[in-house]
């Protein structure tokens, strides 16, 4: 077996043994949601957003309260969707906000008014695609198709017919308006053949939003040097 074949074989084994419901994409395009903050973004930390900024001098342990704004579907994305797609994605955005609220409330007081020690979190869904349910499922499960599907995933960073979602966020000090953090991440459908959303064309999006819920709690825990920070699992 030649060197190229050995490397390829190793990558295929990694895909087979490292299945997940979603995975981080290789690249991402920003919208105008972050505005003037976009030039601040750099490659994110291991396990974090693809592009991110964190204020080096921010005292994260001083923040005990959170104002969580409604998760929005960015206008540029909304304009590309038909009526039913907009309805589905807005419903998922509302559910995402509820999940974030519940998760963050374990570590922070969730408030509506700006006081000392409060940060404001804003999130926008800026790009999204539904999966093609039947072709995506077949590409993962039919033995004759799996090798080609894996090669496609290796080459593109996204499985054939998989769904995807891009989210952008910014965190400010509620009183000073100072930017504490910002970032962009994109996730795509993974290689797991069977999960609870297999027949849902928005399943990859839903699974990604659930991952980001856990990731948000984890990153904030790490930033404030918390104890027992639980890494999210895809």
């Amino acid at each position: 077996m030649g060197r190229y074949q050995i490397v390829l074989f190793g990558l295929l084994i990694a895909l087979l043994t490292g299945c997940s419901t979603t995975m981080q994409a290789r690249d991402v395009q920003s919208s105008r949601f972050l505005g003037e903050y976009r030039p601040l973004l750099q490659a994110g930390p291991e396990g974090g957003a693809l592009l991110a900024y964190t204020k080096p001098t921010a005292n994260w342990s001083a923040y005990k309260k959170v104002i969580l704004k409604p998760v929005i579907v960015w206008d540029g994305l909304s304009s590309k969707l038909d009526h039913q797609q907009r309805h589905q994605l807005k419903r998922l955005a509302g559910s995402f906000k509820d999940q974030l609220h519940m998760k963050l409330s374990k570590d922070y007081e969730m408030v509506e008014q700006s006081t000392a020690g409060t940060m404001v979190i804003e999130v926008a869904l800026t790009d999204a695609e539904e999966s093609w349910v039947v072709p995506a499922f077949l590409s993962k499960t039919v033995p004759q198709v799996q090798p080609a599907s894996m090669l496609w995933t290796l080459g593109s960073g996204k499985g054939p017919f998989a769904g995807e979602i891009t989210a952008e966020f910014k965190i400010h000090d509620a009183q000073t308006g100072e930017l504490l953090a910002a970032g962009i991440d994109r996730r795509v459908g993974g290689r797991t053949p069977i999960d609870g959303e297999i027949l849902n064309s928005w399943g990859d999006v839903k699974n990604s939003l659930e991952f980001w819920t856990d990731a948000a709690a984890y990153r904030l825990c790490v930033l404030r040097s918390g104890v027992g920070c639980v890494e999210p699992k895809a």
Side-chain angles (χ1 to χ4, degrees), residues 18-74:
C19 291
S20 59
T21 56
T22 66
M23 59 187 183
Q24 190 174 51
R26 292 179 183 168
D27 52 31
V28 67
Q29 298 294 322
S30 65
S31 70
R32 294 192 300 276
F33 174 72
L34 294 180
E36 62 185 307
Y37 303 133
R38 284 186 293 177
L40 298 175
L41 301 179
Q42 298 181 348
E46 182 70 24
L50 279 167
L51 298 174
Y53 163 80
T54 303
K55 183 186 175 186
T57 59
N59 180 11
W60 291 95
S61 61
Y63 292 94
K64 309 295 184 183
K65 302 177 182 179
V66 168
I67 296 174
L68 180 61
K69 297 290 188 179
V71 176
I72 66 171
V73 178
W74 189 240

Side-chain angles (χ1 to χ4, degrees), residues 8 11 15 26-27 148-159:
L8 179 58
L11 290 171
L15 277 177
R26 292 179 183 168
D27 52 31
S149 173
M150 292 177 190
L151 288 173
W152 178 281
T153 304
L154 287 172
S156 67
K158 176 184 176 181

Side-chain angles (χ1 to χ4, degrees), residues 80-94:
K80 297 191 300 182
L81 305 174
D82 62 31
H83 175 75
Q84 183 176 3
Q85 289 173 323
R86 283 195 297 271
H87 173 74
Q88 290 289 338
L89 197 54
K90 287 181 179 179
R91 183 178 60 83
L92 287 168

Side-chain angles (χ1 to χ4, degrees), residues 22-30 48-51 124-129 152 156-159 162-169 183-189 204-205 208-209 211-212:
T22 66
M23 59 187 183
Q24 190 174 51
R26 292 179 183 168
D27 52 31
V28 67
Q29 298 294 322
S30 65
L50 279 167
L51 298 174
L125 306 181
T126 57
D127 198 13
E129 289 183 12
W152 178 281
S156 67
K158 176 184 176 181
E164 66 172 78
I165 183 73
T166 299
E168 304 184 24
F169 70 91
I184 308 173
D185 201 24
R186 173 175 166 240
R187 295 191 70 81
V188 300
D204 291 334
V205 170
S208 296
L209 297 178
F211 174 86
W212 279 331

Side-chain angles (χ1 to χ4, degrees), residues 68 71 96-104 123 212-213 216:
L68 180 61
V71 176
F96 183 32
K97 196 261 188 180
D98 292 340
Q99 291 176 38
L100 281 172
H101 188 283
M102 182 172 62
K103 194 77 173 183
L104 296 179
V123 182
W212 279 331
T213 299

